Amino acid sequence: MKRTVALLMAAAMLVMVVFTGCGEKASAKQPATSEIAQKFKDGITFEDELMQLEGDRVTKQYEKLDTSALDEYTLFVSSSGATPEEIAVFKLGDGGDAKALKAAIDARVQQQKDGFVDYVPEEMPKLENCVILSEGNYYALVVAGDASQAEKIFEDCFK
Amino acid sequence: MANRRPVYVNRRKKGFSDAVPILVFLLLALLLATGIALVWQHQQEKGKKPEHSSSSSSSLPAVIESNSPAPGTSESTSSSASSSQDASSSESETTGGVPASQVVFGEPVPQSGRVKSEYFDDALFIGDSISEGIELYQMMDNATVLANKGLNPETIFTKKAAKDAAGNEVTVIEALKSYQPKKVYVMLGANGLGWIDKDKFISYYGKLIDEIKSAYPGISVYIQSILPVTANFEKKKPEITNAKIDEYNAAIRALTKDKQVYYVNVAESFKNDAGALPDEASPKDGMHFGADYYQKWFDYLKTHVVTEE
């Protein structure tokens, strides 16, 4: 009898250990990129009207971005082209190349700098002070007049 | 002597064979628990994984392909308005452009019949940030656009703002040979007229037209007027006024007579009674406008077409 009870308790402990291990991973917060982007939109002042881009229009703006490596993304850019204001949130898929994604974001910022330096030089500070963030497999770029709140907004999305 | 109850002592040897069932039981419990946990995790991830936009692969148009226009995405309002107008006009007036023999170089292209969006299948648009909006708003996905915010008649020769067929970064001039359009539309000047002297501006523009004609002998070349800005913009940037834009447009028009290319006066459809872009067209920066004015732009182009004979 005692042996049976001990055996059942050992099995129960094993089961608990396994489930706890898997359970923690399953419950880590994985917000939608659209949700994160909306929080940026709500919490930061943008002078420009932003429009959402999808599909081909994204790859035209982010030439080095491999969208097939992403689980999802949300991109807002200036609808008029008059400012470099932008919200970009990417969720890298399993096995996706984080370095390549980071390089694509850097290339985008540089491309915008090259465009705006002669076109509207007064917009350059937004690009100089842009914020690039990462948390796990999430990456974000925010270009705005004052992006100082971006980091906190981003971190709060994962709490 | 009392009868003693026999006491049975378990003298069985405890060996490995005794532990086997226990180990097997534990192993089975472990496997079962792991299996359930994995299935559970998989179900959770499957449930959470949203569908993301899949980008349709569009190859860089080294050669212009006939694609059908892409309506039904975010600018469905403008696309459907365009197609409904096409449908109504085909019932009434003649479609098609003004015969080339009736067009006087140096005069704005007169109003013609309306052409359909397919007309732009083999069109190449060259311009600055305003022309970039053609792609951004998916105004005419079947056309090819070589545009960059930094371009003006001077920098179009120096800025590597385009890609050739091999994907190398080149100037727009160098990229021309990678395309085979049947008509070219140019809109340049909003960026540039603020600081480029008019004579130099026209000199650069003339060189650009020469390059286009040399790259594409015999095709239709449309030089579009520089578009107006809002009254607010003029106050913010006094070096770019609508009067100055009109002055540069007059010089561009004279250039088109000299170069024997078409002058298409899109600006006239954008101006209010005061000769400015209406404030509501560009409430933010006074120069760049939204989807409704891109629609207005292309309505004008569709109704000011020249048919080569």
Side-chain angles (χ1 to χ4, degrees):
Chain A
M1 180 61 195
K2 277 186 193 170
R3 197 172 77 174
T4 314
V5 168
L7 202 59
L8 284 170
M9 279 175 67
M13 275 172 63
L14 263 175
V15 165
M16 271 167 53
V17 161
V18 169
F19 268 81
T20 307
C22 294
E24 273 177 7
K25 192 173 166 199
S27 66
K29 210 162 172 200
Q30 301 271 298
T33 55
S34 56
E35 186 189 314
I36 301 173
Q38 189 57 47
K39 292 218 158 85
F40 282 136
K41 263 187 131 193
D42 295 339
I44 295 170
T45 303
F46 291 92
E47 293 166 15
D48 210 339
E49 201 172 305
L50 299 180
M51 67 186 276
Q52 187 164 4
L53 295 191
E54 288 174 330
D56 284 356
R57 295 190 292 171
V58 172
T59 42
K60 285 199 157 94
Q61 303 282 324
Y62 274 79
E63 290 179 346
K64 297 204 180 337
L65 182 67
D66 176 11
T67 51
S68 67
L70 304 175
D71 258 2
E72 55 173 285
Y73 61 85
T74 302
L75 176 63
F76 285 92
V77 300
S78 157
S79 58
S80 66
T83 77
E85 290 181 350
E86 178 168 329
I87 298 170
V89 187
F90 307 99
K91 184 181 175 192
L92 200 57
D94 286 336
D97 188 343
K99 268 193 188 153
L101 174 55
K102 179 73 177 33
I105 297 171
D106 289 342
R108 162 65 171 170
V109 172
Q110 188 56 53
Q111 177 196 338
Q112 289 287 73
K113 283 180 176 173
D114 292 344
F116 276 88
V117 66
D118 295 319
Y119 170 51
V120 193
E122 52 264 35
E123 292 291 321
M124 286 299 284
K126 289 178 184 172
L127 288 162
E128 300 294 347
N129 300 319
C130 72
V131 175
I132 299 175
L133 303 157
S134 67
E135 173 74 34
N137 56 338
Y138 286 81
Y139 294 80
L141 165 68
V142 178
V143 183
D146 179 4
S148 57
Q149 290 302 305
E151 191 171 351
K152 183 173 186 317
I153 293 170
F154 191 60
E155 282 171 2
D156 285 348
C157 290
F158 296 92
K159 288 182 182 159
Chain B
M1 198 159 40
N3 278 338
R4 273 185 156 183
R5 224 170 121 198
V7 175
Y8 292 98
V9 175
N10 189 349
R11 291 195 189 278
R12 279 174 56 209
K13 266 190 192 164
K14 286 189 167 74
F16 180 70
S17 57
D18 221 25
V20 166
I22 299 167
L23 288 171
V24 168
F25 179 74
L26 288 176
L27 188 64
L28 284 172
L30 182 65
L31 285 171
L32 185 66
T34 310
I36 293 169
L38 284 171
V39 167
W40 176 35
Q41 192 178 341
H42 178 71
Q43 289 295 335
Q44 280 206 332
E45 281 176 3
K46 202 174 158 187
K48 270 190 179 174
K49 188 170 179 171
E51 287 176 7
H52 63 86
S53 329
S54 54
S55 61
S56 56
S57 60
S58 63
S59 55
L60 202 63
V63 174
I64 293 178
E65 296 168 323
S66 279
N67 298 322
S68 51
T73 50
S74 40
E75 301 305 323
S76 53
T77 320
S78 53
S79 303
S80 59
S82 157
S83 57
S84 68
Q85 280 185 310
D86 282 349
S88 62
S89 69
S90 66
E91 290 166 4
S92 52
E93 55 193 300
T94 325
T95 55
V98 173
S101 55
Q102 292 178 21
V103 176
V104 176
F105 290 117
E107 294 297 316
V109 171
Q111 187 161 356
S112 65
R114 172 180 289 276
V115 298
K116 292 188 189 295
S117 298
E118 285 81 355
Y119 173 81
F120 298 100
D121 283 356
D122 51 10
L124 173 65
F125 285 82
I126 294 173
D128 54 25
S129 58
I130 292 174
S131 296
E132 277 186 319
I134 299 171
E135 281 187 321
L136 200 66
Y137 287 105
Q138 296 182 298
M139 195 56 237
M140 199 57 68
D141 276 353
N142 50 321
T144 302
V145 180
L146 287 182
N148 187 282
K149 48 180 63 68
L151 292 184
N152 60 46
E154 181 180 7
T155 58
I156 200 158
F157 289 93
T158 53
K159 189 172 170 116
K160 290 191 193 299
K163 285 199 160 75
D164 63 14
N168 303 310
E169 288 183 355
V170 294
T171 64
V172 167
I173 305 299
E174 289 161 343
L176 290 179
K177 58 181 177 287
S178 301
Y179 302 90
Q180 286 142 45
K182 293 285 188 292
K183 62 252 337 173
V184 174
Y185 286 84
V186 182
M187 185 186 282
L188 284 173
N191 171 24
L193 73 87
W195 63 88
I196 305 178
D197 162 78
K198 191 169 66 173
D199 289 343
K200 277 217 177 87
F201 182 98
I202 292 299
S203 167
Y204 291 131
Y205 216 137
K207 269 180 65 184
L208 168 63
I209 294 173
D210 290 341
E211 291 284 351
I212 293 170
K213 287 175 73 177
S214 166
Y216 311 126
I219 71 158
S220 303
V221 179
Y222 296 89
I223 305 300
Q224 301 171 94
S225 46
I226 303 169
L227 299 178
V229 294
T230 63
N232 283 332
F233 184 96
E234 289 182 296
K235 287 183 199 137
K236 279 190 307 186
K237 299 213 174 183
E239 70 274 18
I240 304 177
T241 61
N242 284 305
K244 191 169 182 185
I245 290 174
D246 287 345
E247 195 189 318
Y248 275 59
N249 275 337
I252 291 170
R253 186 174 146 178
L255 178 66
T256 61
K257 182 178 179 179
D258 182 33
K259 298 293 181 186
Q260 305 271 286
V261 292
Y262 303 124
Y263 178 72
V264 61
N265 190 12
V266 185
E268 72 174 346
S269 69
F270 275 51
K271 285 181 178 179
N272 61 15
D273 292 341
L277 185 68
D279 285 342
E280 59 272 16
S282 182
K284 295 276 179 175
D285 82 325
M287 178 184 274
H288 297 87
F289 37 86
D292 51 348
Y293 272 73
Y294 278 87
Q295 181 63 43
K296 195 188 272 279
W297 178 1
F298 275 77
D299 276 353
Y300 190 91
L301 292 185
K302 281 178 174 176
T303 54
H304 291 77
V305 161
V306 179
T307 302
E308 302 292 345
E309 291 154 314

